[in-house]
Amino acid sequence: MHPNSVQLPPGAFAIGKKFGFEAGHRLAGLAPEHKCARQHGHSYEVEVILTAFCLEEPGFVTDFGALTPFKEFLNTELDHHNLHEILPFEPTSERLAQFLAGWFIQNLQPAIPGRLVAVLVRETASSWARFDVEER
């Protein structure tokens, strides 16, 4: 089959980009004997997932470079901080994913093509939480 004869199906495109930061926290709402009630830290991995039905030239959902302000926010506001001291909520991965989605939508999404679909926060290699953004 020749490449020119392939019919392109309709649908949506999606991209993802991972970012990392180091931070500590404790979950004061847990029983004192729970290990997460004590101060501890994580090498957090955050992934943003964006979608679009049409691509921007030269064929992007969003240029990965346009996501740099999100990385800068993570570096300046969260990296090497105690999350329970700076965030206005109990810093679980679930709430952190929702918070980061809110920051992304308010500060970055208006300036870039593509729509944020989800934010995934990974605390460890085997533990993660994902917040899916409702389509408006």
Side-chain angles (χ1 to χ4, degrees):
M1 175 181 279
H2 191 273
N4 290 340
S5 65
V6 174
Q7 293 185 4
L8 301 178
F13 300 92
I15 63 168
K17 177 97 173 134
K18 290 183 183 179
F19 304 90
F21 69 96
E22 308 290 327
H25 74 150
R26 61 180 167 77
L27 302 177
L30 294 173
E33 61 273 6
H34 193 288
K35 66 181 183 177
C36 294
R38 297 186 299 272
Q39 180 69 35
H40 63 285
H42 297 289
S43 294
Y44 286 96
E45 185 176 89
V46 177
E47 183 172 359
V48 295
I49 302 166
L50 291 89
T51 189
F53 287 102
C54 300
L55 298 177
E56 299 289 315
E57 288 300 327
F60 294 153
V61 169
T62 297
D63 184 338
F64 289 118
L67 304 178
T68 300
F70 184 70
K71 176 61 175 161
E72 291 170 352
F73 172 75
L74 295 175
N75 288 345
T76 59
E77 301 300 325
L78 302 181
D79 190 45
H80 284 81
H81 284 83
N82 283 319
L83 299 181
H84 60 276
E85 294 176 357
I86 61 171
L87 296 174
F89 51 83
E90 190 88 349
T92 63
S93 290
E94 293 86 344
R95 289 183 173 147
L96 183 56
Q98 183 183 31
F99 170 78
L100 292 173
W103 187 94
F104 192 100
I105 291 166
Q106 288 177 352
N107 296 281
L108 196 53
Q109 188 160 286
I112 63 171
R115 182 183 71 81
L116 183 68
V117 173
V119 174
L120 186 137
V121 173
R122 186 177 298 280
E123 286 187 353
T124 69
S126 61
S127 301
W128 58 267
R130 177 176 159 158
F131 179 78
D132 294 323
V133 178
E134 285 186 5
E135 192 169 346
R136 298 179 201 172

